[in-house]
Amino acid sequence: MPVAVGERRGLLRTRGLPTAMVMGAAAFGGWAVLLPVVPLIVSLSGGSDTLAGSVTAVFMAATVATQLGVPRLLRRWGHRWVLAAGCMLLGPPSLLLLLSTEAIPVLAVSAVRGSGFGMLTVASSALVAELVPRQMLGRATGAQGIAVAAAQMVGLPAGLAIMQHWSATPVFVIGALIPALAVVAVTRLPAIDAPADRASRGRIPLAAVLTPWLSIAIVAAAFGGLSSLLPIAISERASLAGVILAVSSGATLFGRYAAGSFSDRLGVGRALIPALTFVCLGLVLFAVAAATAAPVPLLVCAALAFGFGFGAVQNESLVMIFTAAGPTRFGSASAGWNIGFDAGTGFGSLALGAVASAAGYSWVFGVAATAVAVVPAAGMLVGRALRRRSAAG
């Protein structure tokens, strides 16, 4: 559906949307600072690649477990209380890492922080869908994605650089403070009495959401492996790994908004296959770089392709699921999408960590590229079969 010029100009004037973007940037920025640092700390302390990957896996497992209950929390307490609780669980517990970086304490802290992250991811996505009209949904989710990606673009390299030049201590402190400060933005959000899906009793049709859900899950798995293992793969150049992850996050920023604009203008779902193609290209280039001397230009090209595709898949799959769910089930749709994203991230960091231990880092990216090419395609075939069966019935 074409979007009027006045509506395009009014996106950032939508009540609550700029505040939601600030809140998202602060909360996810604190998450990004610690994301590659904690697995690296475990690795430098003598842990295996599988154990290092399990840090992110435990974090995401707690995230997914929490996300299952967030729609109910939103119905009972509203967006602001859930977001504030999420910020406080995500940030301040990282101060406990100042006491110990042994495997068990790190995994315990990761589980607590993951529960806060679960609240934030579901509530923030559902909030954006509640704030904007349908014809602006693609670009609104893209704008929120830009805020999050920009924070990651700063946070990912900053955490690694601070650790390399000083120590992990200031990283843990920063990771605690930034999400806590996001609570200030939460208090400025408009009140939404209760999500619209409180009255919905129907289920979201599986055939309509299977492909976008599998797409975001498998691409997030590739991201989980990349973010957890790239700093270890080139640990002698940790700052370079941070730069590469920052380049990828920057490209994600453009990918999200490009997909959102495309979706609003030309139709939901049309950007998914091109986006997946970019992800595959980036992973193939990472595999080539890992098998050679990893020249910097090749790593940059890989990061650009992967990041742009990753951002586009995020936005397009989210809008596809929101569209299939309808406005009465935004909370449930957000939970489903975020479960796919975070379960994929955790599974990818763990599974690809095992691949790295067994076969090396070039295989990590090769396996990930193959999965990204195959899994969504299988979802499309199954989805078509389900639709045909439903039509025949």
Side-chain angles (χ1 to χ4, degrees), residues 126 129-130 132 134 137 194-198 200 321-333:
E130 295 280 1
V132 301
R134 170 64 191 88
L137 181 58
D197 69 347
R198 67 186 183 278
S200 176
I321 290 176
F322 275 144
T323 301
T328 62
R329 293 183 291 245
F330 280 152
S332 298

